[in-house]
Structures are given as structure tokens and as C-alpha cells.
Amino acid sequence: MELRHLRYLIAVAETGSLTVAAEKRLHTSQPSLSRQIRDLEAQVGATLLIRGPRGVELTAAGHAFIGHARLALNQVDAAVEAARRAAQPLKQRLVLGFLTGQEMKWLPEAMHILRDELPNIDITVSSDYSPDLAEALAKGKLDLAFLRAEPGFDLAYRVVDSEPLVVLMPSDHPLASRKSISPQDLAHHPFIGMADKAVVLRAAIEDYLARSGIRVIPAQKVDNPAKVMSLVASTRGLTLIPAYVESLMPWSVVSRPLAGEAPRIDLVAGYSRSNSSPVLALFLSRLDDLIHSVAQKRR
């Protein structure tokens, strides 16, 4: 079994098509890809993929196998990244990731906490969507990220904040005149939901709607704040989103709190347990100070 067998299986599972996986993801021919999948199934001793009503789908054996396959590939990528860092030891490095929009709240305070060490540390910062940050952590491309506690990754998470979900709507929406929005109001207007990729946020929203006895059928599904705000403004729909997005809103979109006890979603600091970076250990030792500092600024 070779690493390419694992990459091929994951590509087919994620695209749901041998043709698309071959042409768009793997740049190989479909017959060659089919042959590699058959070779993998022969080595595993089980059928991993079947043709279903929505395209090529994983079997029960495939679902059991693919999580380990992803972990194996992530560990290989992490090993490569660790070797590259070790080959350039002249200056210690810390690579931080932020859920898009959260860097405005956390990065200045993080720099303040590390001010004495900054001359000796090369700090790199990036922002992305939560699932992509989790994948980058697992592959060793990030040392620490502020994200959601994404399932399916071998990562350690520490809760650093908890924020309410708020209702996003066009600035001239009829509900914009209200001070708060009841969950029942959501059922009477077009609703924009979260895509499958936004696993944690989608689960929080769907759980709240179910507990409130509200059934909505999303008119659109998106996976990032920029697209959410664009669709809210253009389709005049409503959505639920973490309150931090309020700092990113254009004039055409407004937010209102939910009436009653609003659902909350955690922001966590995530990192790989296998990351032995002394700079990461230093940052984690200052995490309580960072949380306290950000909380004080908010008051």
C-alpha cells in the first residue's frame, strides 16, 4: 500500500466521482484511477466505494478506513514540515492561524503577551475557515490556531472564548426595527444555512432550531462569513452567525440578538499534541494571560 492509494481514495470520496477526481484533483486518467482503487481494495480485503444515487459513495468499510487514511497522510505531511523546520534552526518560528475575523481581537494581544520574545521569534500569521485551519494544524503547517473544535482531527483544544449566535439580516429588513428576534420569526423568512464543511457551526445552529421547535429549509448554504453577508444582502434572507462577525458587516447588513437565552459557540486554541516546538510551549504557558487580556479589553 502506498500513500498515493490513500490520496486517490480520499479524492474520490470528496468529489463523489471517479471522473472528476481523476481530471480535476489527481490529473490522471479514470481507468488508471479505477485500477488503483481496485488495488487498494484488494490489499484491504474489502469494498471501499460503491456507486450510489448521488455518485460514488463510501461503503461502511470505506467510512471506517478513510479516517485512518486522512490521519496517516496528515502525519506524513507533519513529518515533512518538522524536517524542514529542523533544517533551518537559526531562528525560532511560531505560525499562528485565525478564524477569519478573529485575528483583529486576538493578534494584538498575542503580540503584547510575547513582546519580550518577539526579537528572537519569527512569527507568521494567516486567517482561514475553521476546517482548513484544523487540517493545517494536523499537517504541521500551523503551530496554533484560533478556531472551532473541529471533529475528526487528532488535535488538542482549549476553550478561549464563547460567543452568542446573532441574527443577520438586510439593513432595511422589516425585522430590523426590533430590538431582538424570536426563534419563531426565523421560520417565516428565507433562511441561509451553513454548508456541510462548517460542521461545528452548522451543528450549533441546527441544534438551536430543533430545541426551539423551528423547522426551516435553507434557501442557500454557505461556509464562510463573506459569502453569508453577500447572500443576506442579495437574497434578503436571515441567518444565524457568531457575534464576532458583527465587526465585519457592511452597511447593507445588520444584526440583532436572539430573544431569550441565545445559543453560544466556543472559540478554541487548537494545536497538535505531537508538536514539540519550544515556542509553542511558551505560547501555551501564556494562554491564560492572553484570555484574561482579551476579556479585559472587551469590558
Side-chain angles (χ1 to χ4, degrees), residues 95-259:
V95 187
L96 297 175
F98 294 88
L99 186 63
T100 301
Q102 292 284 5
E103 65 272 19
M104 293 186 289
K105 178 192 295 185
W106 293 91
L107 182 57
E109 297 306 313
M111 295 298 97
H112 181 72
I113 293 294
L114 293 174
R115 65 186 182 280
D116 293 336
E117 289 81 15
L118 286 179
N120 302 313
I121 301 175
D122 183 7
I123 296 183
T124 303
V125 176
S126 65
S127 61
D128 212 328
Y129 310 130
S130 185
D132 296 325
L133 291 172
E135 184 174 354
L137 285 170
K139 291 182 175 180
K141 295 181 178 180
L142 294 175
D143 290 308
L144 183 138
F146 293 83
L147 72 167
R148 308 299 176 199
E150 299 291 340
F153 295 93
D154 185 24
L155 300 173
Y157 294 120
R158 166 86 183 278
V159 175
V160 297
D161 197 10
S162 178
E163 56 188 334
L165 297 184
V166 297
V167 183
L168 231 58
M169 65 187 75
S171 55
D172 60 349
H173 195 279
L175 295 178
S177 61
R178 300 188 184 182
K179 292 184 177 180
S180 62
I181 308 299
S182 71
Q184 287 71 29
D185 290 327
L186 301 175
H188 305 300
H189 299 273
F191 190 80
I192 299 166
M194 294 298 125
D196 292 346
K197 184 175 182 180
V199 177
V200 180
L201 179 54
R202 179 180 176 179
I205 293 172
E206 291 181 348
D207 179 66
Y208 171 71
L209 294 174
R211 287 188 286 107
S212 302
I214 305 302
R215 184 175 182 271
V216 298
I217 299 176
Q220 303 276 350
K221 291 184 177 182
V222 294
D223 61 6
N224 70 77
K227 291 180 182 177
V228 167
M229 289 182 281
S230 176
L231 280 175
V232 166
S234 61
T235 68
R236 302 192 58 75
L238 307 179
T239 194
L240 296 178
I241 198 119
Y244 85 92
V245 174
E246 291 173 325
S247 63
L248 308 174
M249 293 190 307
W251 65 266
S252 56
V253 174
V254 297
S255 67
R256 295 292 180 268
L258 283 161

